């Protein structure tokens, strides 16, 4: 089994780094600090920007206009245009009808049809509970207007912590990490409707908790293991362990492929309540695999 060693990408520490993305249209890297309510971007020339959303945010997903992102926050979904001078986030969907008062958004990703998938998780020390939702644009109100109506559907009810998501290249399978189930699940996926069915355990996780993940161009999953100092490469046909990436941080939260060749993992971690030298830092690791360009939310 191949074992890789991640390198420190940035020594700055984050309380709960998450939601890494590489947008190949702009060459922007992005990530969030969930508990600090901040969203970060890093350009190819090293220019770093951050945006304070003033509430916990679970994820920031690249949107249809290059440089814009859908922010999955505690009370709603927001659209943030990093090209705008004021860079203020605009509410596009109130989530309070779908979330309990003790919940917030967690991980989020777009599928190749442009739908936004997002999970709910709990704040503070409440008993773990949540759901996995999908938002789809359904009606253009006016041809001359960008305002739209959206439909939110619950795709998987009664999750513990809705976390990493990925889709197969042929758009027939969906993979989902429910962290406190200590498992990654596979589903049949209908590209046209966005429906998922036939839930099966793909693999169980030992010595840690499955967190965020990405998929390579050979349909292998790269899964961050919270509490495990590592990322695991997993076969989506049988769940077998193919490789590991060792990370000098205890709580590894997520990863994505970055760079012109999409052959390097960009890795986020959490430093909350930890004292290790690199807990909460960002990492990278060149691997013998290539990712696919990230799917874009069509909002």
């Amino acid at each position: 089994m191949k074992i890789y060693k991640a390198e420190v990408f940035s020594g700055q520490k984050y309380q709960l780094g998450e939601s890494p993305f590489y947008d190949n249209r702009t060459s922007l890297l992005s990530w969030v600090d969930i508990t600090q309510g901040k969203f970060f971007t890093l350009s190819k020339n090293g220019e770093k920007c951050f945006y304070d959303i003033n509430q916990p945010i679970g994820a920031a997903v690249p949107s249809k206009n290059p440089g814009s992102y859908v922010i999955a926050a505690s009370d709603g979904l927001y659209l943030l245009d990093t090209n705008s001078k004021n860079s203020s986030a605009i509410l596009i969907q109130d989530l309070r009808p779908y979330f309990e008062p003790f919940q917030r958004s967690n991980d989020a990703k777009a599928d190749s049809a442009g739908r936004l998938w997002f999970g709910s998780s709990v704040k503070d020390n409440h008993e773990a509970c949540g759901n996995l939702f999908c938002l789809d644009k359904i009606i253009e109100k006016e041809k001359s207007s960008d305002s739209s109506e959206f439909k939110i559907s619950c795709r998987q009810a009664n999750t513990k912590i809705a976390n990493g998501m990925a889709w197969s290249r042929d758009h027939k399978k969906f993979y989902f990490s429910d962290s406190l189930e200590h498992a990654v699940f596979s589903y049949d996926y209908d590209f046209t409707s966005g429906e998922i069915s036939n839930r099966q355990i793909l693999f169980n996780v030992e010595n840690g908790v499955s967190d965020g993940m990405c998929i390579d161009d050979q349909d292998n999953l790269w899964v961050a293991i919270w509490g495990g100092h590592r990322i695991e490469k997993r076969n989506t046909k049988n769940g077998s362990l193919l490789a590991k990436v060792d990370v000098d941080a205890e709580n590894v939260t997520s990863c994505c492929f970055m760079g012109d060749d999409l052959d390097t993992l960009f890795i986020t971690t959490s430093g909350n309540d930890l004292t290790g030298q690199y807990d909460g830092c960002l990492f990278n690791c060149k691997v013998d695999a290539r990712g696919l360009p990230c799917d874009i939310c069509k909002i």
Side-chain angles (χ1 to χ4, degrees):
M1 181 178 62
K2 180 88 174 185
I3 298 179
Y4 301 92
K5 178 66 174 179
E7 299 178 348
V8 176
F9 180 83
S10 167
Q12 181 174 345
K13 295 192 172 191
Y14 301 90
Q15 281 195 10
L16 185 48
E18 252 284 8
S19 188
F21 279 96
Y22 176 77
D23 190 340
N24 62 297
R25 302 171 302 171
T26 60
S27 298
L28 277 177
L29 276 172
S30 63
W31 65 96
V32 305
D33 190 327
I34 292 179
T35 52
Q36 291 295 296
K38 292 181 179 179
F39 165 58
F40 301 85
T41 62
L42 181 67
S43 70
K44 199 170 185 178
N45 65 13
E47 181 182 2
K48 182 179 177 182
C49 300
F50 80 92
Y51 308 87
D52 197 339
I53 311 301
N54 297 314
Q55 60 174 298
I57 53 176
V61 180
S63 189
K64 68 177 182 179
N65 294 323
S68 65
Y69 293 82
V70 176
I71 308 291
S74 293
D75 64 3
L77 300 173
Y78 293 81
L79 187 62
L80 176 70
D81 183 0
T82 63
N83 299 310
S84 173
K85 289 184 179 180
N86 58 21
S87 300
S88 59
I90 301 170
L91 179 67
I92 58 176
Q93 181 68 52
D94 186 355
L95 294 179
R96 287 173 294 183
Y98 304 93
F99 288 2
E100 297 293 340
F102 49 80
Q103 292 177 323
R104 61 163 173 81
S105 296
N106 204 44
D107 207 355
K109 279 191 177 177
D111 65 15
S112 56
R115 306 177 187 94
L116 181 72
W117 295 63
F118 62 98
S120 61
S121 184
V122 298
K123 304 173 185 176
D124 302 320
N125 296 318
H126 193 280
E127 181 182 356
C129 65
N131 298 291
L132 176 64
F133 295 97
C134 178
L135 176 140
D136 200 3
K137 180 186 287 190
I138 56 172
I139 298 173
E140 290 287 350
K141 289 184 177 179
E142 298 176 9
K143 291 184 180 179
S144 61
S145 173
D146 288 334
S147 60
S148 305
E149 291 182 0
F150 303 97
K151 176 183 178 182
I152 291 182
S153 304
C154 181
R155 292 291 192 247
Q156 177 63 63
N158 302 317
T159 64
K160 297 286 187 174
I161 297 180
N163 235 316
M165 292 161 259
W167 290 263
S168 62
R169 287 179 302 163
D170 63 6
H171 312 306
K172 292 183 178 179
K173 288 291 185 180
F174 170 64
Y175 306 103
F176 172 58
S177 169
D178 190 342
S179 292
L180 291 188
E181 293 286 359
H182 295 268
V184 170
F185 297 88
S186 69
Y187 299 74
D188 294 331
Y189 170 67
D190 187 306
F191 173 82
T192 302
S193 67
E195 296 288 342
I196 55 176
S197 60
N198 190 28
R199 169 172 155 150
Q200 305 285 333
I201 293 177
L202 179 62
F203 63 90
N204 294 108
V205 176
E206 298 179 355
N207 300 319
V209 173
S210 59
D211 207 313
M213 61 186 180
C214 61
I215 195 165
D216 65 27
D217 65 359
Q218 298 301 306
D219 276 350
N220 296 308
L221 295 174
W222 297 75
V223 184
I225 306 299
W226 176 280
H229 293 90
R230 70 189 187 278
I231 288 171
E232 294 184 351
K233 179 184 179 183
R234 291 279 186 162
N235 187 318
T236 54
K237 294 180 175 61
N238 56 26
S240 60
L241 181 62
L242 302 176
K244 292 193 301 181
V245 180
D246 289 335
V247 182
D248 282 335
E250 181 174 341
N251 292 333
V252 186
T253 57
S254 195
C255 57
C256 71
F257 285 96
M258 62 174 278
D260 294 339
D261 296 324
L262 295 174
D263 61 353
T264 299
L265 286 176
F266 176 57
I267 302 164
T268 54
T269 71
S270 171
N272 192 36
D273 293 330
L274 297 173
T275 58
Q277 183 177 1
Y278 300 116
D279 289 322
C281 291
L282 303 174
F283 293 80
N284 68 315
C285 183
K286 187 174 175 61
V287 295
D288 299 321
R290 289 194 175 189
L292 298 168
C294 71
D295 289 317
I296 303 302
C297 183
K298 301 295 177 63
I299 294 176

